[in-house]
């Protein structure tokens, strides 16, 4: 592996990386699709064709976990990502094109069953009475459309 993911310096990326290792080792049962994603991630790290910017990915994971829960009763004030969530987002945010520095992955398809801690991306388009806005632009009290109008 060409990238050093430190447990102390990059705890969220480390959590995602450990998740991939646990999937590959069989410690965590998974589908063949999740297993394949973890193998690709580890292969991408080893080959280094698209460098992994661990600092950038860690910065993103730290930022989004500063958001507070808005509904329900939770043990913590802030949202805390599960290892699988760290794995998904560190892959999306961390791999960069070597010449342009832009993210390798601009679109991701993630399927998650009910009750598994899904969240909306800050870049997701949300219908409002004033047209579409990015989820990251929505504030408490914003008027939104729902699927039932």
């Amino acid at each position: 592996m060409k990238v050093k993911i430190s447990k102390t310096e990059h705890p969220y990326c480390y959590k995602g990386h450990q998740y991939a290792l646990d999937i590959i080792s069989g410690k965590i049962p998974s589908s063949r699709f999740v297993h394949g994603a973890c193998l690709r991630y580890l292969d991408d790290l080893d080959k280094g064709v698209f460098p992994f910017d661990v600092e950038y990915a860690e910065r993103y994971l730290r930022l989004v976990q500063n958001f507070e829960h808005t509904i329900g009763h939770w043990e913590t004030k802030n949202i805390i990502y599960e290892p699988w969530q760290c794995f998904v987002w560190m892959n999306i945010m961390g791999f960069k094109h070597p010449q342009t520095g832009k993210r390798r992955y601009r679109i991701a398809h993630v399927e998650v069953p009910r009750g598994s801690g899904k969240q909306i991306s800050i870049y997701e388009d949300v219908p409002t009475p004033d047209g579409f806005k990015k989820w990251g632009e929505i504030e408490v009290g914003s008027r939104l459309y729902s699927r039932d109008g």
Side-chain angles (χ1 to χ4, degrees):
M1 179 173 75
K2 297 177 189 251
V3 176
K4 174 92 171 105
I5 301 176
S6 165
K7 186 175 186 175
T8 55
E9 292 177 41
H10 314 107
Y12 300 116
C13 285
Y14 183 86
K15 194 157 82 166
H17 180 75
Q18 189 60 51
Y19 171 82
L21 295 175
D22 290 345
I23 291 288
I24 299 306
S25 72
K27 183 177 178 183
I28 299 174
S30 70
S31 71
R32 63 186 171 114
F33 300 110
V34 172
H35 192 268
C38 292
L39 281 175
R40 279 188 299 280
Y41 158 75
L42 293 170
D43 191 50
D44 286 347
L45 279 183
D46 285 340
K47 288 182 179 171
V49 175
F50 288 90
F52 184 75
D53 187 342
V54 67
E55 297 296 334
Y56 187 81
E58 184 69 23
R59 194 166 44 249
Y60 175 82
L61 288 168
R62 285 179 196 269
L63 171 70
V64 297
Q65 292 181 83
N66 283 322
F67 298 146
E68 295 180 8
H69 295 285
T70 57
I71 298 173
H73 299 285
W74 301 90
E75 291 179 23
T76 62
K77 179 177 99 172
N78 293 21
I79 295 168
I80 305 294
Y81 275 8
E82 294 292 325
W84 71 266
Q85 293 168 308
C86 290
F87 173 75
V88 167
W89 285 104
M90 67 186 260
N91 270 275
I92 293 170
M93 301 305 288
F95 286 104
K96 304 245 183 125
H97 191 279
Q99 281 78 39
T100 66
K102 293 187 179 196
R103 291 195 331 258
R104 175 184 186 187
Y105 300 112
R106 307 293 291 171
I107 298 173
H109 177 92
V110 180
E111 291 186 33
V112 183
R114 289 184 303 187
S116 296
K118 297 175 288 296
Q119 73 282 344
I120 296 176
S121 165
I122 60 173
Y123 304 110
E124 186 79 26
D125 287 325
V126 178
T128 73
D130 301 320
F132 281 94
K133 290 185 178 180
K134 299 293 181 196
W135 183 251
E137 299 171 2
I138 303 298
E139 298 174 352
V140 173
S142 294
R143 291 176 27 139
L144 307 175
Y145 285 120
S146 64
R147 65 178 167 230
D148 62 357

